[in-house]
Amino acid sequence: MSSDLTQYELTEEELRELIPQLQQLTDKYKRAERVQKALFDISELASSVSHLNRLYSAIHEIIADFMNADNFFVAFYEQDNNLIDFAYFVDEFDEQTVRQLPAEDMMDGMTGFILRTGQHLFYKREEEERLAKEHGIKLVGSQPFELLGVPLKRGSQVIGAMVVQTYDEGIHYSQEDLEVLLFVSQHIVTTVDRVKNRELTERTIRDRTRQLRKINDDLQEEILERQKVEALQQALFEISELAANLDGDMSVFYTSLHDILARLISAPNCYISTLSEDKQHLEFPYFSDKENESIESRPIGLGLTEFVLRTGQAELINPPRVLELAEAGEIDVSVAQTMLNSANSWLGSPLIVDGEISGIIAVQTYGKHAKYTARDLELLRFVSHHIAVTMERKRSTEAIQRYNSELEARVKERTAELDQANTFLKQQIEERKEIELKLIHDAHHDSLTDLPNRAMFTSRLELAIASKQRYSDNLFAVLFIDLDRFKVINDTLGHHAGDEFLIEVARRIALCIRGHDLLARLGGDEFVVLLDNFDEVSDVEEVASRIINSISEPFLLEGKEMYSGASIGIAHLEPYYRSADEVLRDADAAMYQAKTLGRGRFVMFDKSMRDRLIEELELENEFRRALREEEFDYFLQPVIDLRDDSALYHELYVRWSHPAYGKIAREQFRQVAEQSGLTLDLDLFQLRKACELLKHWRDSGEAPGRIAVNVSINHLLQASMVNKMVALVENYEVSPHELVFEFDENDLNRRSQYILPAIKKLKRAGITLVLDNFGSGLASLSYLFAYPFDFIKIDHRFVKSLPRSQRNLKLIQSVMLISEHLKFKVIAEGVDSTAQLSALTEIECNYAQGKILKQPKVLDMKQLAS
């Protein structure tokens, strides 16, 4: 009963926590839906609005749905004219009377800033001085309280700006308003271009319709005129019918027209002449003459046809008129002579197509009795008008057909685009729903293993802590799991294999726990388990043992068998815990203790671990302070040449005596430096002190000597660190030959393949190199052949056993024998007794270091510096 009640209360609490999140998601979805609807409305505007003024007012209404937009304008930058065109302007204080303003008058203002930089602008009145200082913006017009402005771009080119502003100090714009305005601005330019094109198309159609209407009006007037003349009515009707029923074959039209014209006036001879495309020749698409069967195209000269083309007026030319024109130089004399000899009468009327004279129609008679009159001239002028209209109509029909085909294709394409856009918008809405659900899942789960992540685990752990505080009998425990060799797997087999390894680990751990327990991945190779409501402490230990045994089984990765292991820290939930971080901290501390004890085991947390960690942290902080303030003891111990008792070089090293913790052991001293990441800083500190001591000896006139410092192998893993040490020596103006670098053999064992280039670089610089603690690691002899060390220091453990250990003595003799061939010298380290010294002297070991030879000298570096 109690368990059921607890489950009910937890569910209710979870619901209370989820309600604000669901409300926030609902608001976010509604806003996203409004943005999508706005984009859909803008897309609809492109197809429904035919005038830009209606488009801008509609866009104004859409934006006003998201924010206060009582003051709104759209401006375009016309670079060719260097003008700013305010296409739309609504403002409660400024009345825009001039639509276009010079760009130079506006470029210093906020609109000009947007046009110049292509950046958006969020202006607040209290930030006016900052904007003026940073961007050189000057206010133009009435000063707003707040302003949002975004650029309008066609591709990467800034073509305009869209601005909303308010003068009301109670109205504020938000970053979300700016994002909406930026989002809408990306779609407005395309919509404006579409509406402009549609407006231009409709204007063209209206103009063309107006022109055709005018032509039809003229035709109606002619029809009325024809009705007045009954004799001409039928013929004129036939001419109109010919023009209306034109099927594209102009030669048939010309022939039929000639037949009708011949019934009205004497027209035995008729031709139609048109200008060539280059306007330099006359062509004759129709020619019928009793005396001549055909006529060829000819250059423009001074004929009767050319005279009508020049004047643009219908002409009646009889012999008296032709003589007058010849005397005026309007026509050629030979043309006039021919007409006078045959007593011809000639009628010609221009053909005007699209406002230009394209040719003429002409009729003529031969003989004295057939003469044309002014009535015939008017009739021919009317016929020529019909011919021109027909030619123009043909051209217009072809153009309209071509335009209709293009318009039909464009409408079809636009319809397909709109259908595609609608489909895409629906798809986006569905995708956004799925994305939101996925985001909720991803926010609480690890992307690789799909396990709960730190956020979700912390939330569940907080609930467990609350339950423990209310019901102390409930038992909970957290297992903090750290994997072995994960970095090795990643480095050797690659990240893909590392991911497979983590997925398999997650699967194995999941098989070791119960269904209602919670397994999560914190990151990297760290996993945590929350054990919920177990009966005995031994149950937790059993689960931990199962996990360790499961992970110790081999893994098959990239076709290779790999092994790993797990170290587990266990923290039981106690009533004094107040947060999930406290529990994870203690479980992590227990896991670290398990790794320290040898990995592959689990450790229960107790308060002593926390005290020890706090002590280590305090010691690390004290070490940082001591290094910063140089609170160390300095010692100088020589390496002695046993042949003449002279110093080969002096080894400088530092020790730390803490006021509370006392003298820190050498091993702990180096361990604290490594854990705090200050090994390199400590080495550089000792190197600086060595350089200062060498400089002091030189300045005080003391005998020069060499000083050795211990250098971490980490300095050799990066070329920049080697360069830094060499540069430090050069800055102190100390000769590299006065320095000795000692490297620990155990460090070389771990990174030997990376450091040979750095060792050689130090050797070339002139620094003496020493391999320290020789014999303490593995594969020691390989270093003697591969690395250019000047001296080899025999590990003190070999010297300590002398003279009773003949085996170690033989080993030292063997190294000395090798040294003769490889050109290095041997130093015996840790000589603390006369018997040890005698044994070394007997085998002719010439160099040694130890307390029996000379005690380390304590240095006062502060006194030297002063």
Side-chain angles (χ1 to χ4, degrees):
M1 185 66 180
S2 175
S3 177
D4 293 341
L5 179 59
T6 301
Q7 182 66 34
Y8 173 78
E9 290 176 350
L10 288 175
T11 303
E12 185 178 9
E13 185 174 356
E14 288 177 345
L15 286 174
R16 286 198 301 270
E17 291 179 356
L18 285 174
I19 285 173
Q21 298 179 16
L22 291 174
Q23 184 63 44
Q24 185 178 4
L25 286 174
T26 301
D27 295 340
K28 179 179 179 182
Y29 174 75
K30 287 182 178 179
R31 185 172 183 86
E33 191 175 32
R34 289 173 60 199
V35 173
Q36 294 296 332
K37 182 179 181 304
L39 294 181
F40 181 79
D41 292 343
I42 291 174
S43 299
E44 285 292 316
L45 291 176
S47 59
S48 61
V49 175
S50 59
H51 298 287
L52 288 175
N53 287 337
R54 292 176 57 195
L55 171 66
Y56 294 135
S57 61
I59 292 173
H60 187 184
E61 292 178 1
I62 291 173
I63 293 175
D65 190 43
F66 288 93
M67 66 193 76
N68 181 281
D70 293 342
N71 307 286
F72 172 82
F73 67 85
V74 178
F76 290 96
Y77 181 29
E78 299 181 0
Q79 294 186 354
D80 295 340
N81 303 324
N82 199 27
L83 294 174
I84 295 179
D85 182 11
F86 287 88
Y88 183 80
F89 190 95
V90 175
D91 194 280
E92 57 186 311
F93 290 111
D94 286 342
E95 182 177 354
Q96 187 72 15
T97 57
V98 181
R99 180 172 177 176
Q100 291 185 333
L101 294 174
E104 57 266 17
D105 296 343
M106 301 291 294
M107 280 305 179
D108 290 336
M110 288 186 282
T111 304
F113 170 77
I114 299 172
L115 296 176
R116 281 188 289 107
T117 64
Q119 301 177 5
H120 64 266
L121 180 64
F122 193 166
Y123 166 82
K124 296 182 179 181
R125 185 176 296 173
E126 63 265 18
E127 297 179 355
E128 177 183 350
E129 294 182 2
R130 180 182 65 80
L131 289 175
K133 183 177 180 181
E134 293 182 0
H135 306 295
I137 296 178
K138 299 179 181 178
L139 290 180
V140 178
S142 300
Q143 181 180 1
F145 179 67
E146 286 192 3
L147 176 145
L148 289 179
V150 297
L152 299 178
K153 296 182 178 181
R154 184 182 288 116
S156 60
Q157 180 185 6
V158 179
I159 65 169
M162 183 170 63
V163 176
V164 294
Q165 57 186 351
T166 180
Y167 301 96
D168 188 348
E169 296 185 1
I171 296 175
H172 299 275
Y173 294 122
S174 65
Q175 190 64 30
E176 286 187 344
D177 296 334
L178 177 60
E179 291 174 359
V180 168
L181 206 61
L182 284 169
F183 196 61
V184 170
S185 69
Q186 299 174 5
H187 302 268
I188 286 179
V189 174
T190 303
T191 303
V192 170
D193 290 342
R194 292 174 184 173
V195 174
K196 280 185 177 179
N197 290 336
R198 182 181 295 106
E199 186 175 358
L200 178 61
T201 301
E202 292 179 354
R203 188 185 303 116
T204 302
I205 293 175
R206 288 197 300 271
D207 293 342
R208 197 67 188 154
T209 302
R210 190 181 302 109
Q211 185 178 8
L212 291 175
R213 187 180 294 113
K214 182 179 181 302
I215 294 173
N216 288 331
D217 292 342
D218 293 340
L219 286 175
Q220 290 298 324
E221 292 178 5
E222 292 293 336
I223 291 172
L224 292 174
E225 189 68 23
R226 286 199 304 272
Q227 290 175 349
K228 296 178 182 179
V229 185
E230 293 181 0
L232 300 179
Q233 184 175 8
Q234 183 62 32
L236 297 180
F237 175 77
E238 291 179 10
I239 293 175
S240 298
E241 192 174 19
L242 274 178
N245 297 328
L246 180 65
D247 60 359
D249 189 352
M250 294 297 292
S251 61
V252 175
F253 171 77
Y254 292 145
T255 302
S256 301
L257 187 66
H258 186 191
D259 293 340
I260 295 171
L261 191 62
R263 297 202 305 268
L264 299 176
I265 60 175
S266 177
N269 310 294
C270 177
Y271 69 86
I272 293 176
S273 179
T274 58
L275 284 170
S276 62
E277 291 184 2
D278 60 2
K279 302 186 183 302
Q280 301 298 319
H281 293 77
L282 289 177
E283 297 177 346
F284 299 90
Y286 180 78
F287 183 82
S288 176
D289 193 269
K290 291 183 177 181
E291 296 186 359
N292 301 292
E293 293 184 359
S294 62
I295 186 171
E296 299 295 331
S297 173
R298 63 178 175 81
I300 291 178
L302 291 176
L304 298 176
T305 300
E306 289 89 332
F307 174 68
V308 174
L309 290 175
R310 289 196 304 272
T311 61
Q313 301 294 329
E315 291 287 343
L316 168 60
I317 299 178
N318 289 322
R321 175 66 172 160
V322 75
L323 183 61
E324 178 184 337
L325 293 175
E327 292 176 352
E330 293 288 345
I331 61 174
D332 191 84
V333 175
S334 61
V335 175
Q337 187 65 41
T338 301
M339 188 169 186
L340 289 172
N341 292 336
S342 58
N344 291 350
S345 183
W346 186 88
L347 282 177
S349 180
L351 301 175
I352 302 175
V353 180
D354 290 335
E356 294 185 357
I357 299 176
S358 299
I360 73 165
I361 181 173
V363 294
Q364 62 181 353
T365 61
Y366 300 118
K368 297 180 180 179
H369 302 290
K371 301 294 182 183
Y372 292 122
T373 64
R375 177 179 172 278
D376 298 329
L377 179 63
E378 288 298 323
L379 180 62
L380 185 62
R381 182 185 291 113
F382 175 75
V383 172
S384 69
H385 173 71
H386 272 267
I387 296 174
V389 169
T390 302
M391 296 173 66
E392 184 175 0
R393 184 177 297 167
K394 180 183 178 184
R395 293 184 184 180
S396 299
T397 300
E398 292 175 349
I400 291 174
Q401 289 175 348
R402 185 167 56 253
Y403 179 78
N404 286 338
S405 298
E406 294 176 356
L407 186 60
E408 183 178 356
R410 194 178 305 164
V411 169
K412 186 176 180 181
E413 179 182 355
R414 178 57 56 216
T415 303
E417 289 180 359
L418 291 176
D419 291 340
Q420 184 179 3
N422 290 334
T423 303
F424 179 69
L425 286 174
K426 292 178 181 178
Q427 181 181 355
Q428 274 194 327
I429 293 173
E430 295 299 325
E431 288 178 354
R432 284 184 177 274
K433 292 179 180 178
E434 295 178 2
I435 289 172
E436 287 177 357
L437 294 176
K438 188 176 185 303
L439 285 174
I440 296 174
H441 180 273
D442 291 347
H444 296 87
H445 290 79
D446 174 50
S447 60
L448 176 63
T449 62
D450 203 38
L451 293 176
N453 59 9
R454 180 184 291 271
M456 183 174 180
F457 184 83
T458 301
S459 177
R460 284 286 301 274
L461 185 53
E462 295 283 358
L463 293 176
I465 293 172
S467 176
K468 181 67 175 179
Q469 291 172 349
R470 295 185 63 185
Y471 305 100
S472 59
D473 293 338
N474 291 345
L475 299 179
F476 300 92
V478 172
L479 277 62
F480 199 110
I481 306 166
D482 184 78
L483 306 176
D484 298 335
R485 296 173 57 80
F486 174 65
K487 187 176 186 305
V488 174
I489 292 173
N490 251 350
D491 293 344
T492 56
L493 299 183
H495 291 288
H496 179 69
D499 292 345
E500 290 184 354
F501 169 71
L502 292 175
I503 294 171
E504 176 62 16
V505 166
R507 188 189 70 82
R508 293 187 185 186
I509 297 176
L511 294 175
C512 298
I513 62 177
R514 299 166 299 177
H516 62 275
D517 294 329
L518 180 63
L519 169 63
R521 180 186 176 213
L522 299 185
D525 60 346
E526 294 180 342
F527 293 82
V528 287
V529 175
L530 174 61
L531 298 181
D532 187 358
N533 285 329
F534 52 88
D535 297 327
E536 302 290 341
V537 174
S538 59
D539 296 341
V540 180
E541 297 177 353
E542 182 181 348
V543 172
S545 298
R546 284 203 302 264
I547 294 173
I548 291 172
N549 293 333
S550 176
I551 295 178
S552 65
E553 295 294 327
F555 293 80
L556 186 61
L557 303 172
E558 302 288 340
K560 297 181 180 180
E561 195 174 75
M562 301 292 292
Y563 288 87
S564 181
S567 300
I568 302 178
I570 303 172
H572 289 273
L573 262 66
E574 300 294 344
Y576 56 76
Y577 281 119
R578 290 295 179 268
S579 69
D581 289 339
E582 293 179 1
V583 182
L584 288 174
R585 176 200 64 197
D586 291 346
D588 188 16
M591 181 276 296
Y592 179 78
Q593 181 67 20
K595 292 180 67 174
T596 304
L597 294 176
R599 302 176 183 271
R601 65 180 66 202
F602 63 84
V603 171
M604 296 282 186
F605 175 80
D606 59 53
K607 291 186 177 181
S608 64
M609 294 181 187
R610 186 185 303 162
D611 296 337
R612 185 165 56 255
L613 289 174
I614 293 174
E615 180 180 334
E616 290 178 358
L617 182 62
E618 290 177 353
L619 189 61
E620 179 180 325
N621 292 335
E622 287 295 311
F623 177 76
R624 291 179 182 273
R625 184 190 58 78
L627 181 60
R628 183 173 60 253
E629 299 180 7
E630 301 183 4
E631 295 181 350
F632 294 120
D633 299 324
Y634 305 90
F635 298 90
L636 202 63
Q637 186 175 30
V639 173
I640 302 299
D641 188 339
L642 301 179
R643 292 171 297 186
D644 56 8
D645 202 32
S646 61
L648 177 64
Y649 64 82
H650 291 78
E651 180 182 357
L652 175 68
Y653 59 90
V654 298
R655 292 292 179 263
W656 183 26
S657 296
H658 190 271
Y661 300 108
K663 291 186 177 181
I664 307 300
R666 178 180 179 182
E667 292 75 12
Q668 187 181 11
F669 179 57
R670 299 298 294 188
Q671 183 181 5
V672 172
E674 290 179 2
Q675 289 177 351
S676 57
L678 297 175
T679 303
L680 301 181
D681 298 277
L682 179 61
D683 291 347
L684 290 175
F685 170 73
Q686 293 183 98
L687 181 57
R688 284 195 296 271
K689 293 303 176 183
C691 292
E692 290 175 6
L693 184 56
L694 288 171
K695 189 175 181 182
H696 171 73
W697 286 352
R698 185 182 59 200
D699 296 342
S700 62
E702 295 186 23
R706 289 187 291 180
I707 296 180
V709 291
N710 291 283
V711 178
S712 170
I713 203 67
N714 294 327
H715 279 287
L716 306 182
L717 298 180
Q718 300 179 18
S720 60
M721 297 303 300
V722 177
N723 296 335
K724 188 174 182 179
M725 288 193 296
V726 174
L728 189 150
V729 174
E730 292 176 351
N731 289 340
Y732 277 96
E733 298 180 355
V734 172
S735 172
H737 297 282
E738 297 176 320
L739 287 169
V740 179
F741 284 178
E742 294 189 358
F743 297 97
D744 193 287
E745 181 194 276
N746 290 299
D747 290 341
L748 265 63
N749 284 332
R750 294 193 293 268
R751 304 289 180 86
S752 58
Q753 68 270 33
Y754 301 109
I755 64 171
L756 184 57
I759 288 282
K760 291 181 177 180
K761 187 168 186 177
L762 292 175
K763 180 72 173 179
R764 289 193 298 270
I767 297 173
T768 302
L769 305 178
V770 177
L771 178 61
D772 197 7
N773 295 326
F774 179 76
S776 61
L778 301 175
S780 302
L781 290 177
S782 63
Y783 302 140
L784 305 183
F785 291 92
Y787 297 95
F789 289 108
D790 298 288
F791 294 91
I792 303 297
K793 265 191 178 182
I794 302 296
D795 188 79
H796 66 90
R797 286 173 291 184
F798 292 97
V799 177
K800 184 178 182 181
S801 61
L802 298 181
R804 66 179 183 277
S805 175
Q806 290 298 312
R807 183 178 181 180
N808 287 343
L809 190 62
K810 293 295 184 182
L811 176 62
I812 297 174
Q813 284 181 307
S814 299
V815 176
M816 292 172 58
L817 182 61
I818 295 173
S819 69
E820 296 177 0
H821 298 283
L822 299 182
K823 307 301 182 184
F824 63 82
K825 297 178 177 60
V826 177
I827 301 172
E829 185 181 15
V831 182
D832 296 335
S833 68
T834 305
Q836 294 169 356
L837 180 59
S838 299
L840 292 171
T841 304
E842 288 179 5
I843 62 173
E844 297 182 355
C845 180
N846 296 328
Y847 302 102
Q849 184 180 22
K851 297 178 181 178
I852 191 65
L853 299 172
K854 198 167 186 179
Q855 288 285 342
K857 179 182 178 183
V858 181
L859 296 176
D860 188 351
M861 296 302 292
K862 294 183 180 179
Q863 182 178 0
L864 292 178
S866 61

